[in-house]
Amino acid sequence: MSVRTRFAPSPTGFLHIGGARTALYNWLYAKRHGGKFILRVEDTDAERSTAESMQVILDGLQWLGLEWDEGPGVDGDFGPYYQSERVAIYDRYLAKLAAAGHVYEDDGAIRFRVPDKTITVSDQICGEVSTNLKEQGSRRYNPETKQEEEANPDIVIKRPNGGYIFHFVNVVDDIEMGITHVIRGEDHLSNTPKHLALFEAFGVTPPTFAHIPLNLNPSGTKMSKRDQGALIHEYQESGFLPDAVNNYMALLGWSAKDDQEIFSMKELKERFDLSGVNKSNSKFDYDKCKWVNGEHLRHLPSGELQAWAGPFLSRAGLPAADERVPAALELTRDRAQLLSEIPGVIATIFETEVAYDEASLAKVAGQEDIANRLAALINGLASSTGWDELEIKAAITAAAEGIGVKMGALMLPCRVGVMGSTSGADLVPVLVLLGQAEVVRRLKNFATKLN
Ligand code: GLU
C-alpha cells in the first residue's frame, strides 16, 4: 500500500513552528517512501477559522517548499480538501454509525458510545499507551466545585447546532482519504484512543500513528506565538532560507544516527525516518537556527545567493543589479548568518561617502605617527601597477617597510579609511572590488578628515 500522509491544520492562527515541523515530517515521510502528502484543512470551527489564517498557512507551506500532492488548489481524487465542504460525507458516515447502533441522541447532540474495554495505541514514537475510555470519561473534574463528578463518557460527535466535532471528522477524513500514517503533535496522543474506537466502529483498520514530542521554548514551557522564532512568516522577513528552516525544524525532534547536522532537502528526504525521532520534548534555540542558516548561506551556489539576497539589498537601498554584487556577496559567506545581515557587511562597497564608525575612527586617530603612515599607504597604493590581491598586499608591505613598520600597522588605517569600520568583509578583496582610483580617493578623504 503506498504511503499517504497528511497535514491537517485548523486555520485559526498563524503557521507556527510546531505545525510547520509536523508538516515537514509528514512531507519527508511521504517523499522518503514514494508516497503522497495531502493538505487537509480542518475548518469545521466556523467561528475561529479565518481566510487570513488560511492564506498565511498556505503561503508558509509554499515558502518552505512543502508542496502538497493533493489539497487546496491541487486536484486530487479525495476532495474537497476543506472540511467545511465535506458535510455530505460526514452525514453519510454518521448514518453508518447510526445503523450499527453506535450513536444516540442526547439533548440535541449526537453521542458515540465508547466501548468499555482497554484500547491500546501502538505509537511509532511514544510506544504503547492504553486507556479505557468508558472508565476514563465516567468522572470529570469540575473546576467550579473543584471536585470530580460523574460524567457521560460517550463522545459528542455532532453538536446540537448541527456542527460536527473534530474527533469524528478527523477519523472520517483519514478513512476517506486513505491516510496510511498519521504523524502529528503529541498533544493529540490523548485523543487517539477515541479515534481508534471510531475506526473500529467503522470496521476500518486504523493508520499507523506517530506522535511527535512537543517543541518547547528555551525556558521549557509550551512555545507561544510571542516567542522569538515561533511564526514561519517571520523567518522569511528576518532573512532565513526556507531549506535552512526545514533543516533546523528537522533537527528539532529528529536526529540522524551520526553527527551530521546540516542537511539539504534531498539528504533529508533520503534520511528522515520515524525511528530517529526523539521521545523527549525538544527545546527551541534561535541561535542554533541562525547558525544552521549561516551554514546554508555559506554553501549556497552563487546564483542562488544573488537571487535570495537581491530583495534584502534593494530594501537596504543598495543597487542589487550592480555588476560588483556577485563578487561582493562572495565576501559575506563567512560574515552573515541571515540574508538581512548581508547589506550591512557590504554596504560600504556601494556607498560614495564612507560612514565612519566612531570607535574605529578613534582607534586609528590614536595611532602613532598616523599622518605619515597614511601618506605612505596612499603613495604605495597609488603607485601600484597592478590591482589584484597579491599586488595590493605587496604594495602595502612595501609601503610599511619604507617607513619601518609592520604591514599590520597600515592595515587598520586602510580598513577604517576605506570601509569606515574595523568590522565587515575582508579588506583586501574589498580593495580589489572598489578599484585603485576609488581606494585612493577614499584614503585621501580620510587623511583630510584625520588632520
Ligand atoms: N486540526 C488538528 C490540529 O490542528 C490536526 C489533528 C491531526 O493532525 O490529526 O491540531
Side-chain angles (χ1 to χ4, degrees), residues 6-12 22 26 40-43 83 166 170 174 182-185 187-188 191 195 209 211:
R6 84 308 191 265
F7 177 49
S10 304
T12 55
T22 299
N26 277 286
R40 176 174 85 223
V41 183
E42 301 211 322
D43 60 346
Q83 286 188 328
F166 159 71
N170 185 267
D174 283 343
V182 170
I183 304 170
R184 60 186 173 190
D187 47 334
H188 286 294
N191 294 326
H195 299 178
F209 286 95
H211 287 88

Side-chain angles (χ1 to χ4, degrees), residues 90-104 110-113 157 168 201-202:
Y90 305 140
D91 289 342
R92 189 155 50 78
Y93 271 72
L94 180 60
K96 282 192 202 181
L97 288 185
H102 288 298
V103 295
Y104 60 92
I110 307 283
R111 283 189 188 263
F112 167 69
R113 262 182 249 282
I157 56 173
F168 178 74
F202 285 120

Side-chain angles (χ1 to χ4, degrees), residues 87 90-91 94 108-110 157-165:
V87 177
Y90 305 140
D91 289 342
L94 180 60
I110 307 283
I157 56 173
K158 193 174 184 185
R159 295 187 190 91
N161 71 5
Y164 284 103
I165 295 282

Side-chain angles (χ1 to χ4, degrees), residues 330-443:
E330 290 307 315
L331 307 180
T332 67
R333 289 190 187 270
D334 294 329
R335 311 269 165 171
Q337 287 187 321
L338 298 175
L339 291 163
S340 52
E341 291 169 359
I342 287 180
V345 179
I346 55 172
T348 180
I349 294 172
F350 304 96
E351 285 160 358
T352 38
E353 283 302 313
V354 179
Y356 300 104
D357 161 64
E358 283 304 325
S360 307
L361 202 58
K363 261 192 201 166
V364 177
Q367 271 195 338
E368 201 182 309
D369 203 18
I370 183 64
N372 192 27
R373 287 182 188 185
L374 259 182
L377 182 66
I378 293 168
N379 281 339
L381 288 174
S383 56
S384 176
T385 49
W387 201 252
D388 63 18
E389 289 197 22
L390 280 179
E391 289 157 334
I392 291 172
K393 279 185 196 154
I396 299 175
T397 310
E401 276 168 7
I403 56 166
V405 298
K406 295 218 168 77
M407 186 199 186
L410 297 191
M411 290 307 259
L412 180 75
C414 186
R415 167 178 274 282
V416 178
V418 173
M419 298 172 67
S421 165
T422 53
S423 63
D426 273 353
L427 174 63
V428 179
V430 170
L431 300 181
V432 175
L433 253 181
L434 285 173
Q436 187 171 22
E438 174 64 7
V439 168
V440 171
R441 183 189 74 82
R442 288 187 185 197
L443 287 173

Side-chain angles (χ1 to χ4, degrees), residues 276-292:
V277 177
N278 306 331
K279 293 183 178 24
S280 49
N281 292 335
S282 53
K283 241 189 209 172
F284 183 78
D285 178 347
Y286 195 70
D287 287 336
K288 172 113 185 222
C289 186
K290 276 190 358 188
W291 172 78
V292 170

